[in-house]
mmCIF file of all heavy atoms in Angstrom:
data_model
loop_
_atom_site.group_PDB
_atom_site.id
_atom_site.type_symbol
_atom_site.label_atom_id
_atom_site.label_comp_id
_atom_site.label_asym_id
_atom_site.label_seq_id
_atom_site.Cartn_x
_atom_site.Cartn_y
_atom_site.Cartn_z
ATOM 1 N N MET A 244 -4.292 13.839 7.335
ATOM 2 C CA MET A 244 -4.349 14.665 8.536
ATOM 3 C C MET A 244 -4.082 16.130 8.187
ATOM 4 O O MET A 244 -3.384 16.442 7.230
ATOM 5 C CB MET A 244 -3.319 14.190 9.564
ATOM 6 C CG MET A 244 -3.504 12.727 9.980
ATOM 7 S SD MET A 244 -5.087 12.442 10.831
ATOM 8 C CE MET A 244 -4.748 13.269 12.379
ATOM 9 N N LEU A 245 -4.640 17.011 9.017
ATOM 10 C CA LEU A 245 -4.497 18.454 8.827
ATOM 11 C C LEU A 245 -3.525 18.996 9.864
ATOM 12 O O LEU A 245 -3.763 18.895 11.065
ATOM 13 C CB LEU A 245 -5.856 19.145 8.977
ATOM 14 C CG LEU A 245 -5.890 20.658 8.795
ATOM 15 C CD1 LEU A 245 -5.536 21.022 7.357
ATOM 16 C CD2 LEU A 245 -7.271 21.201 9.138
ATOM 17 N N ARG A 246 -2.412 19.593 9.389
ATOM 18 C CA ARG A 246 -1.453 20.205 10.294
ATOM 19 C C ARG A 246 -1.953 21.575 10.748
ATOM 20 O O ARG A 246 -2.839 22.162 10.122
ATOM 21 C CB ARG A 246 -0.106 20.375 9.587
ATOM 22 C CG ARG A 246 0.655 19.071 9.395
ATOM 23 C CD ARG A 246 1.954 19.308 8.643
ATOM 24 N NE ARG A 246 2.800 18.112 8.646
ATOM 25 C CZ ARG A 246 3.879 17.962 7.887
ATOM 26 N NH1 ARG A 246 4.233 18.933 7.054
ATOM 27 N NH2 ARG A 246 4.597 16.870 7.951
ATOM 28 N N ASN A 247 -1.352 22.094 11.818
ATOM 29 C CA ASN A 247 -1.731 23.422 12.305
ATOM 30 C C ASN A 247 -1.488 24.499 11.250
ATOM 31 O O ASN A 247 -2.125 25.547 11.247
ATOM 32 C CB ASN A 247 -0.956 23.753 13.584
ATOM 33 C CG ASN A 247 -1.403 22.894 14.757
ATOM 34 O OD1 ASN A 247 -2.532 22.414 14.775
ATOM 35 N ND2 ASN A 247 -0.519 22.688 15.729
ATOM 36 N N SER A 248 -0.536 24.231 10.356
ATOM 37 C CA SER A 248 -0.213 25.191 9.299
ATOM 38 C C SER A 248 -1.263 25.215 8.194
ATOM 39 O O SER A 248 -1.210 26.068 7.312
ATOM 40 C CB SER A 248 1.147 24.843 8.685
ATOM 41 O OG SER A 248 1.089 23.562 8.046
ATOM 42 N N GLY A 249 -2.208 24.276 8.250
ATOM 43 C CA GLY A 249 -3.212 24.196 7.206
ATOM 44 C C GLY A 249 -2.851 23.218 6.107
ATOM 45 O O GLY A 249 -3.636 22.998 5.173
ATOM 46 N N GLU A 250 -1.669 22.611 6.186
ATOM 47 C CA GLU A 250 -1.223 21.665 5.168
ATOM 48 C C GLU A 250 -1.831 20.291 5.434
ATOM 49 O O GLU A 250 -1.884 19.824 6.571
ATOM 50 C CB GLU A 250 0.310 21.575 5.189
ATOM 51 C CG GLU A 250 0.869 20.609 4.159
ATOM 52 C CD GLU A 250 2.378 20.444 4.295
ATOM 53 O OE1 GLU A 250 2.919 20.840 5.347
ATOM 54 O OE2 GLU A 250 2.997 19.924 3.355
ATOM 55 N N LEU A 251 -2.293 19.645 4.373
ATOM 56 C CA LEU A 251 -2.808 18.279 4.483
ATOM 57 C C LEU A 251 -1.700 17.293 4.151
ATOM 58 O O LEU A 251 -0.969 17.476 3.169
ATOM 59 C CB LEU A 251 -3.992 18.081 3.529
ATOM 60 C CG LEU A 251 -5.301 18.736 3.971
ATOM 61 C CD1 LEU A 251 -6.289 18.778 2.820
ATOM 62 C CD2 LEU A 251 -5.907 17.993 5.145
ATOM 63 N N VAL A 252 -1.580 16.254 4.954
ATOM 64 C CA VAL A 252 -0.506 15.277 4.746
ATOM 65 C C VAL A 252 -1.063 13.866 4.813
ATOM 66 O O VAL A 252 -2.061 13.590 5.499
ATOM 67 C CB VAL A 252 0.618 15.440 5.789
ATOM 68 C CG1 VAL A 252 1.319 16.773 5.620
ATOM 69 C CG2 VAL A 252 0.070 15.306 7.202
ATOM 70 N N LEU A 253 -0.425 12.964 4.093
ATOM 71 C CA LEU A 253 -0.773 11.550 4.109
ATOM 72 C C LEU A 253 0.048 10.867 5.190
ATOM 73 O O LEU A 253 1.264 11.085 5.298
ATOM 74 C CB LEU A 253 -0.466 10.937 2.739
ATOM 75 C CG LEU A 253 -0.931 9.501 2.479
ATOM 76 C CD1 LEU A 253 -2.445 9.414 2.553
ATOM 77 C CD2 LEU A 253 -0.433 9.056 1.104
ATOM 78 N N ILE A 254 -0.591 10.028 6.017
ATOM 79 C CA ILE A 254 0.099 9.378 7.129
ATOM 80 C C ILE A 254 -0.045 7.866 7.014
ATOM 81 O O ILE A 254 -0.596 7.347 6.046
ATOM 82 C CB ILE A 254 -0.459 9.855 8.484
ATOM 83 C CG1 ILE A 254 -1.934 9.408 8.631
ATOM 84 C CG2 ILE A 254 -0.323 11.365 8.631
ATOM 85 C CD1 ILE A 254 -2.471 9.577 10.043
ATOM 86 N N ASP A 255 0.475 7.173 8.016
ATOM 87 C CA ASP A 255 0.373 5.720 8.156
ATOM 88 C C ASP A 255 1.065 4.995 7.007
ATOM 89 O O ASP A 255 0.438 4.340 6.166
ATOM 90 C CB ASP A 255 -1.082 5.273 8.258
ATOM 91 C CG ASP A 255 -1.197 3.833 8.740
ATOM 92 O OD1 ASP A 255 -0.152 3.220 9.043
ATOM 93 O OD2 ASP A 255 -2.331 3.316 8.797
ATOM 94 N N PHE A 256 2.380 5.133 6.983
ATOM 95 C CA PHE A 256 3.179 4.441 5.974
ATOM 96 C C PHE A 256 3.651 3.062 6.453
ATOM 97 O O PHE A 256 4.540 2.467 5.854
ATOM 98 C CB PHE A 256 4.382 5.298 5.573
ATOM 99 C CG PHE A 256 4.025 6.413 4.633
ATOM 100 C CD1 PHE A 256 3.406 7.556 5.105
ATOM 101 C CD2 PHE A 256 4.272 6.309 3.272
ATOM 102 C CE1 PHE A 256 3.064 8.587 4.258
ATOM 103 C CE2 PHE A 256 3.916 7.332 2.411
ATOM 104 C CZ PHE A 256 3.313 8.479 2.892
ATOM 105 N N GLY A 257 3.030 2.564 7.524
ATOM 106 C CA GLY A 257 3.408 1.245 8.014
ATOM 107 C C GLY A 257 3.075 0.138 7.034
ATOM 108 O O GLY A 257 3.676 -0.939 7.070
ATOM 109 N N THR A 258 2.097 0.394 6.155
ATOM 110 C CA THR A 258 1.713 -0.635 5.180
ATOM 111 C C THR A 258 2.365 -0.398 3.821
ATOM 112 O O THR A 258 2.148 -1.171 2.886
ATOM 113 C CB THR A 258 0.188 -0.639 4.990
ATOM 114 O OG1 THR A 258 -0.225 0.640 4.472
ATOM 115 C CG2 THR A 258 -0.519 -0.895 6.303
ATOM 116 N N ALA A 259 3.140 0.691 3.694
ATOM 117 C CA ALA A 259 3.699 1.038 2.387
ATOM 118 C C ALA A 259 4.792 0.055 1.988
ATOM 119 O O ALA A 259 5.509 -0.507 2.821
ATOM 120 C CB ALA A 259 4.262 2.460 2.422
ATOM 121 N N ARG A 260 4.915 -0.194 0.693
ATOM 122 C CA ARG A 260 5.964 -1.062 0.159
ATOM 123 C C ARG A 260 6.629 -0.366 -1.027
ATOM 124 O O ARG A 260 5.950 0.248 -1.845
ATOM 125 C CB ARG A 260 5.377 -2.399 -0.312
ATOM 126 C CG ARG A 260 4.785 -3.258 0.794
ATOM 127 C CD ARG A 260 5.872 -3.765 1.747
ATOM 128 N NE ARG A 260 6.849 -4.596 1.073
ATOM 129 C CZ ARG A 260 6.748 -5.935 0.985
ATOM 130 N NH1 ARG A 260 5.727 -6.561 1.535
ATOM 131 N NH2 ARG A 260 7.677 -6.628 0.373
ATOM 132 N N GLU A 261 7.932 -0.470 -1.122
ATOM 133 C CA GLU A 261 8.644 0.081 -2.270
ATOM 134 C C GLU A 261 8.435 -0.842 -3.464
ATOM 135 O O GLU A 261 8.529 -2.078 -3.348
ATOM 136 C CB GLU A 261 10.134 0.206 -1.956
ATOM 137 C CG GLU A 261 10.935 0.841 -3.094
ATOM 138 C CD GLU A 261 12.406 0.965 -2.740
ATOM 139 O OE1 GLU A 261 12.791 0.483 -1.660
ATOM 140 O OE2 GLU A 261 13.156 1.536 -3.549
ATOM 141 N N GLU A 262 8.156 -0.240 -4.621
ATOM 142 C CA GLU A 262 7.926 -1.051 -5.816
ATOM 143 C C GLU A 262 9.275 -1.428 -6.430
ATOM 144 O O GLU A 262 9.904 -0.654 -7.137
ATOM 145 C CB GLU A 262 7.073 -0.288 -6.841
ATOM 146 C CG GLU A 262 6.625 -1.207 -7.986
ATOM 147 C CD GLU A 262 5.851 -0.443 -9.044
ATOM 148 O OE1 GLU A 262 6.257 0.682 -9.380
ATOM 149 O OE2 GLU A 262 4.860 -0.997 -9.545
ATOM 150 N N THR A 263 9.696 -2.633 -6.158
ATOM 151 C CA THR A 263 10.963 -3.152 -6.676
ATOM 152 C C THR A 263 10.711 -4.452 -7.404
ATOM 153 O O THR A 263 9.613 -5.020 -7.361
ATOM 154 C CB THR A 263 11.953 -3.396 -5.533
ATOM 155 O OG1 THR A 263 11.401 -4.398 -4.658
ATOM 156 C CG2 THR A 263 12.203 -2.115 -4.728
ATOM 157 N N GLN A 264 11.750 -4.952 -8.052
ATOM 158 C CA GLN A 264 11.635 -6.241 -8.734
ATOM 159 C C GLN A 264 11.332 -7.339 -7.730
ATOM 160 O O GLN A 264 10.543 -8.259 -7.992
ATOM 161 C CB GLN A 264 12.936 -6.544 -9.487
ATOM 162 C CG GLN A 264 12.850 -7.773 -10.394
ATOM 163 C CD GLN A 264 11.855 -7.593 -11.517
ATOM 164 O OE1 GLN A 264 11.691 -6.491 -12.029
ATOM 165 N NE2 GLN A 264 11.178 -8.663 -11.893
ATOM 166 N N THR A 265 11.966 -7.254 -6.558
ATOM 167 C CA THR A 265 11.724 -8.256 -5.514
ATOM 168 C C THR A 265 10.262 -8.239 -5.082
ATOM 169 O O THR A 265 9.639 -9.300 -4.892
ATOM 170 C CB THR A 265 12.634 -7.985 -4.298
ATOM 171 O OG1 THR A 265 13.994 -8.020 -4.708
ATOM 172 C CG2 THR A 265 12.387 -9.010 -3.198
ATOM 173 N N TYR A 266 9.718 -7.034 -4.954
ATOM 174 C CA TYR A 266 8.310 -6.926 -4.556
ATOM 175 C C TYR A 266 7.416 -7.603 -5.588
ATOM 176 O O TYR A 266 6.504 -8.384 -5.233
ATOM 177 C CB TYR A 266 7.912 -5.457 -4.405
ATOM 178 C CG TYR A 266 6.417 -5.249 -4.225
ATOM 179 C CD1 TYR A 266 5.800 -5.516 -3.009
ATOM 180 C CD2 TYR A 266 5.636 -4.836 -5.288
ATOM 181 C CE1 TYR A 266 4.436 -5.348 -2.852
ATOM 182 C CE2 TYR A 266 4.267 -4.666 -5.150
ATOM 183 C CZ TYR A 266 3.666 -4.922 -3.934
ATOM 184 O OH TYR A 266 2.316 -4.763 -3.775
ATOM 185 N N HIS A 267 7.655 -7.348 -6.874
ATOM 186 C CA HIS A 267 6.807 -7.947 -7.911
ATOM 187 C C HIS A 267 6.939 -9.472 -7.920
ATOM 188 O O HIS A 267 5.964 -10.190 -8.178
ATOM 189 C CB HIS A 267 7.178 -7.366 -9.280
ATOM 190 C CG HIS A 267 6.667 -5.973 -9.495
ATOM 191 N ND1 HIS A 267 5.333 -5.683 -9.632
ATOM 192 C CD2 HIS A 267 7.316 -4.777 -9.577
ATOM 193 C CE1 HIS A 267 5.172 -4.377 -9.812
ATOM 194 N NE2 HIS A 267 6.366 -3.808 -9.763
ATOM 195 N N GLN A 268 8.134 -9.966 -7.629
ATOM 196 C CA GLN A 268 8.318 -11.424 -7.560
ATOM 197 C C GLN A 268 7.512 -12.010 -6.405
ATOM 198 O O GLN A 268 6.893 -13.072 -6.524
ATOM 199 C CB GLN A 268 9.799 -11.759 -7.406
ATOM 200 C CG GLN A 268 10.621 -11.472 -8.664
ATOM 201 C CD GLN A 268 12.102 -11.672 -8.440
ATOM 202 O OE1 GLN A 268 12.551 -11.886 -7.297
ATOM 203 N NE2 GLN A 268 12.883 -11.595 -9.514
ATOM 204 N N LYS A 269 7.495 -11.285 -5.271
ATOM 205 C CA LYS A 269 6.716 -11.756 -4.122
ATOM 206 C C LYS A 269 5.215 -11.705 -4.423
ATOM 207 O O LYS A 269 4.459 -12.566 -3.978
ATOM 208 C CB LYS A 269 7.043 -10.912 -2.887
ATOM 209 C CG LYS A 269 8.429 -11.170 -2.324
ATOM 210 C CD LYS A 269 8.654 -10.384 -1.036
ATOM 211 C CE LYS A 269 10.002 -10.703 -0.442
ATOM 212 N NZ LYS A 269 10.242 -9.972 0.834
ATOM 213 N N VAL A 270 4.778 -10.656 -5.174
ATOM 214 C CA VAL A 270 3.374 -10.562 -5.551
ATOM 215 C C VAL A 270 2.973 -11.770 -6.377
ATOM 216 O O VAL A 270 1.920 -12.389 -6.151
ATOM 217 C CB VAL A 270 3.106 -9.257 -6.324
ATOM 218 C CG1 VAL A 270 1.735 -9.317 -7.011
ATOM 219 C CG2 VAL A 270 3.170 -8.056 -5.393
ATOM 220 N N LYS A 271 3.836 -12.116 -7.350
ATOM 221 C CA LYS A 271 3.522 -13.275 -8.203
ATOM 222 C C LYS A 271 3.484 -14.552 -7.387
ATOM 223 O O LYS A 271 2.691 -15.461 -7.676
ATOM 224 C CB LYS A 271 4.564 -13.390 -9.313
ATOM 225 C CG LYS A 271 4.477 -12.276 -10.363
ATOM 226 C CD LYS A 271 5.528 -12.462 -11.454
ATOM 227 C CE LYS A 271 5.415 -11.344 -12.490
ATOM 228 N NZ LYS A 271 6.460 -11.495 -13.553
ATOM 229 N N GLY A 272 4.340 -14.632 -6.366
ATOM 230 C CA GLY A 272 4.362 -15.827 -5.524
ATOM 231 C C GLY A 272 3.370 -15.755 -4.384
ATOM 232 O O GLY A 272 3.368 -16.634 -3.513
ATOM 233 N N GLN A 273 2.524 -14.692 -4.385
ATOM 234 C CA GLN A 273 1.507 -14.500 -3.348
ATOM 235 C C GLN A 273 2.126 -14.514 -1.951
ATOM 236 O O GLN A 273 1.588 -15.100 -1.007
ATOM 237 C CB GLN A 273 0.414 -15.576 -3.455
ATOM 238 C CG GLN A 273 -0.357 -15.512 -4.761
ATOM 239 C CD GLN A 273 -1.504 -16.508 -4.822
ATOM 240 O OE1 GLN A 273 -1.535 -17.468 -4.056
ATOM 241 N NE2 GLN A 273 -2.439 -16.271 -5.730
ATOM 242 N N GLN A 274 3.311 -13.835 -1.837
ATOM 243 C CA GLN A 274 4.010 -13.774 -0.560
ATOM 244 C C GLN A 274 3.851 -12.409 0.106
ATOM 245 O O GLN A 274 4.516 -12.109 1.090
ATOM 246 C CB GLN A 274 5.512 -14.055 -0.771
ATOM 247 C CG GLN A 274 5.780 -15.432 -1.365
ATOM 248 C CD GLN A 274 7.253 -15.611 -1.709
ATOM 249 O OE1 GLN A 274 8.051 -14.696 -1.574
ATOM 250 N NE2 GLN A 274 7.619 -16.817 -2.140
ATOM 251 N N VAL A 275 2.961 -11.571 -0.448
ATOM 252 C CA VAL A 275 2.767 -10.232 0.089
ATOM 253 C C VAL A 275 1.508 -10.209 0.950
ATOM 254 O O VAL A 275 0.454 -10.712 0.540
ATOM 255 C CB VAL A 275 2.637 -9.194 -1.055
ATOM 256 C CG1 VAL A 275 2.338 -7.815 -0.485
ATOM 257 C CG2 VAL A 275 3.913 -9.165 -1.878
ATOM 258 N N THR A 276 1.640 -9.619 2.132
ATOM 259 C CA THR A 276 0.498 -9.529 3.035
ATOM 260 C C THR A 276 -0.558 -8.591 2.446
ATOM 261 O O THR A 276 -0.246 -7.471 2.033
ATOM 262 C CB THR A 276 0.933 -8.995 4.407
ATOM 263 O OG1 THR A 276 1.936 -9.854 4.930
ATOM 264 C CG2 THR A 276 -0.254 -8.932 5.359
ATOM 265 N N GLY A 277 -1.784 -9.035 2.402
ATOM 266 C CA GLY A 277 -2.856 -8.220 1.843
ATOM 267 C C GLY A 277 -3.337 -7.167 2.838
ATOM 268 O O GLY A 277 -3.567 -7.483 4.014
ATOM 269 N N ILE A 278 -3.446 -5.933 2.387
ATOM 270 C CA ILE A 278 -3.956 -4.834 3.208
ATOM 271 C C ILE A 278 -5.237 -4.341 2.543
ATOM 272 O O ILE A 278 -5.242 -3.992 1.356
ATOM 273 C CB ILE A 278 -2.956 -3.669 3.293
ATOM 274 C CG1 ILE A 278 -1.599 -4.157 3.839
ATOM 275 C CG2 ILE A 278 -3.503 -2.539 4.144
ATOM 276 C CD1 ILE A 278 -1.663 -4.684 5.243
ATOM 277 N N THR A 279 -6.324 -4.308 3.276
ATOM 278 C CA THR A 279 -7.587 -3.881 2.674
ATOM 279 C C THR A 279 -8.307 -2.900 3.587
ATOM 280 O O THR A 279 -8.242 -3.002 4.821
ATOM 281 C CB THR A 279 -8.521 -5.076 2.404
ATOM 282 O OG1 THR A 279 -8.861 -5.695 3.638
ATOM 283 C CG2 THR A 279 -7.872 -6.085 1.474
ATOM 284 N N SER A 280 -8.978 -1.956 2.956
ATOM 285 C CA SER A 280 -9.903 -1.044 3.634
ATOM 286 C C SER A 280 -11.165 -1.034 2.797
ATOM 287 O O SER A 280 -11.169 -0.517 1.666
ATOM 288 C CB SER A 280 -9.317 0.366 3.746
ATOM 289 O OG SER A 280 -8.245 0.397 4.677
ATOM 290 N N ALA A 281 -12.216 -1.619 3.327
ATOM 291 C CA ALA A 281 -13.446 -1.793 2.557
ATOM 292 C C ALA A 281 -13.936 -0.469 1.989
ATOM 293 O O ALA A 281 -14.031 0.528 2.701
ATOM 294 C CB ALA A 281 -14.529 -2.411 3.442
ATOM 295 N N GLY A 282 -14.242 -0.488 0.707
ATOM 296 C CA GLY A 282 -14.749 0.701 0.038
ATOM 297 C C GLY A 282 -13.676 1.473 -0.692
ATOM 298 O O GLY A 282 -13.983 2.262 -1.592
ATOM 299 N N TYR A 283 -12.419 1.280 -0.324
ATOM 300 C CA TYR A 283 -11.307 2.008 -0.933
ATOM 301 C C TYR A 283 -10.361 1.089 -1.692
ATOM 302 O O TYR A 283 -9.811 1.467 -2.730
ATOM 303 C CB TYR A 283 -10.521 2.771 0.134
ATOM 304 C CG TYR A 283 -11.367 3.726 0.923
ATOM 305 C CD1 TYR A 283 -11.914 3.367 2.147
ATOM 306 C CD2 TYR A 283 -11.648 5.001 0.429
ATOM 307 C CE1 TYR A 283 -12.715 4.236 2.872
ATOM 308 C CE2 TYR A 283 -12.446 5.889 1.138
ATOM 309 C CZ TYR A 283 -12.983 5.492 2.356
ATOM 310 O OH TYR A 283 -13.787 6.356 3.053
ATOM 311 N N THR A 284 -10.152 -0.096 -1.189
ATOM 312 C CA THR A 284 -9.177 -1.018 -1.767
ATOM 313 C C THR A 284 -9.705 -1.642 -3.054
ATOM 314 O O THR A 284 -10.819 -2.192 -3.072
ATOM 315 C CB THR A 284 -8.839 -2.136 -0.764
ATOM 316 O OG1 THR A 284 -8.375 -1.552 0.455
ATOM 317 C CG2 THR A 284 -7.785 -3.072 -1.325
ATOM 318 N N PRO A 285 -8.917 -1.612 -4.148
ATOM 319 C CA PRO A 285 -9.360 -2.218 -5.404
ATOM 320 C C PRO A 285 -9.252 -3.735 -5.370
ATOM 321 O O PRO A 285 -8.622 -4.320 -4.475
ATOM 322 C CB PRO A 285 -8.402 -1.622 -6.432
ATOM 323 C CG PRO A 285 -7.152 -1.356 -5.657
ATOM 324 C CD PRO A 285 -7.615 -0.933 -4.286
ATOM 325 N N ASN A 286 -9.845 -4.364 -6.353
ATOM 326 C CA ASN A 286 -9.947 -5.813 -6.396
ATOM 327 C C ASN A 286 -8.590 -6.496 -6.385
ATOM 328 O O ASN A 286 -8.366 -7.479 -5.660
ATOM 329 C CB ASN A 286 -10.742 -6.231 -7.637
ATOM 330 C CG ASN A 286 -11.009 -7.730 -7.664
ATOM 331 O OD1 ASN A 286 -11.637 -8.274 -6.761
ATOM 332 N ND2 ASN A 286 -10.513 -8.389 -8.698
ATOM 333 N N GLU A 287 -7.631 -5.989 -7.196
ATOM 334 C CA GLU A 287 -6.340 -6.685 -7.294
ATOM 335 C C GLU A 287 -5.599 -6.650 -5.966
ATOM 336 O O GLU A 287 -4.894 -7.615 -5.604
ATOM 337 C CB GLU A 287 -5.486 -6.085 -8.417
ATOM 338 C CG GLU A 287 -4.886 -4.716 -8.134
ATOM 339 C CD GLU A 287 -5.832 -3.565 -8.444
ATOM 340 O OE1 GLU A 287 -6.982 -3.829 -8.875
ATOM 341 O OE2 GLU A 287 -5.431 -2.396 -8.262
ATOM 342 N N GLN A 288 -5.760 -5.561 -5.195
ATOM 343 C CA GLN A 288 -5.070 -5.477 -3.908
ATOM 344 C C GLN A 288 -5.706 -6.423 -2.900
ATOM 345 O O GLN A 288 -5.011 -6.963 -2.040
ATOM 346 C CB GLN A 288 -5.096 -4.036 -3.390
ATOM 347 C CG GLN A 288 -4.309 -3.836 -2.098
ATOM 348 C CD GLN A 288 -4.239 -2.383 -1.671
ATOM 349 O OE1 GLN A 288 -4.241 -1.484 -2.509
ATOM 350 N NE2 GLN A 288 -4.167 -2.149 -0.372
ATOM 351 N N GLN A 289 -7.000 -6.618 -3.006
ATOM 352 C CA GLN A 289 -7.669 -7.553 -2.106
ATOM 353 C C GLN A 289 -7.136 -8.976 -2.302
ATOM 354 O O GLN A 289 -7.242 -9.802 -1.399
ATOM 355 C CB GLN A 289 -9.172 -7.523 -2.355
ATOM 356 C CG GLN A 289 -9.837 -6.209 -1.957
ATOM 357 C CD GLN A 289 -11.334 -6.226 -2.179
ATOM 358 O OE1 GLN A 289 -11.956 -7.276 -2.117
ATOM 359 N NE2 GLN A 289 -11.906 -5.061 -2.448
ATOM 360 N N HIS A 290 -6.559 -9.223 -3.472
ATOM 361 C CA HIS A 290 -5.974 -10.541 -3.754
ATOM 362 C C HIS A 290 -4.458 -10.526 -3.607
ATOM 363 O O HIS A 290 -3.755 -11.385 -4.155
ATOM 364 C CB HIS A 290 -6.355 -10.996 -5.162
ATOM 365 C CG HIS A 290 -7.812 -11.309 -5.313
ATOM 366 N ND1 HIS A 290 -8.763 -10.351 -5.555
ATOM 367 C CD2 HIS A 290 -8.498 -12.484 -5.224
ATOM 368 C CE1 HIS A 290 -9.966 -10.901 -5.622
ATOM 369 N NE2 HIS A 290 -9.841 -12.197 -5.433
ATOM 370 N N GLY A 291 -3.937 -9.494 -2.864
ATOM 371 C CA GLY A 291 -2.514 -9.465 -2.561
ATOM 372 C C GLY A 291 -1.639 -9.078 -3.729
ATOM 373 O O GLY A 291 -0.445 -9.426 -3.734
#
C-alpha cells in the first residue's frame, strides 16, 4: 500500500508466522495451514 507520505508499506500480516523451532516441527508434521496466492506462492508453500 502507498501512504500519503509516499512511503510504500507491506500489509496483511494475518497470515504471517514467526520462524521458530516449533514452527518447523509443525511444518514437518504438516500441521501448518497452507496459504496460497496463485502466481506468487512457490511450490513448497503450496504444500504447507
Side-chain angles (χ1 to χ4, degrees):
M244 302 296 289
L245 181 65
R246 287 178 170 168
N247 291 335
S248 64
E250 180 185 15
L251 285 166
V252 295
L253 188 62
I254 65 168
D255 194 3
F256 282 77
T258 62
R260 295 293 299 268
E261 183 179 4
E262 190 183 42
T263 62
Q264 188 64 34
T265 301
Y266 170 76
H267 284 291
Q268 290 174 352
K269 289 184 177 181
V270 166
K271 290 181 180 179
Q273 297 184 342
Q274 300 173 356
V275 176
T276 302
I278 303 297
T279 63
S280 289
Y283 303 96
T284 304
N286 186 60
E287 73 275 1
Q288 184 175 329
Q289 292 182 29
H290 292 83

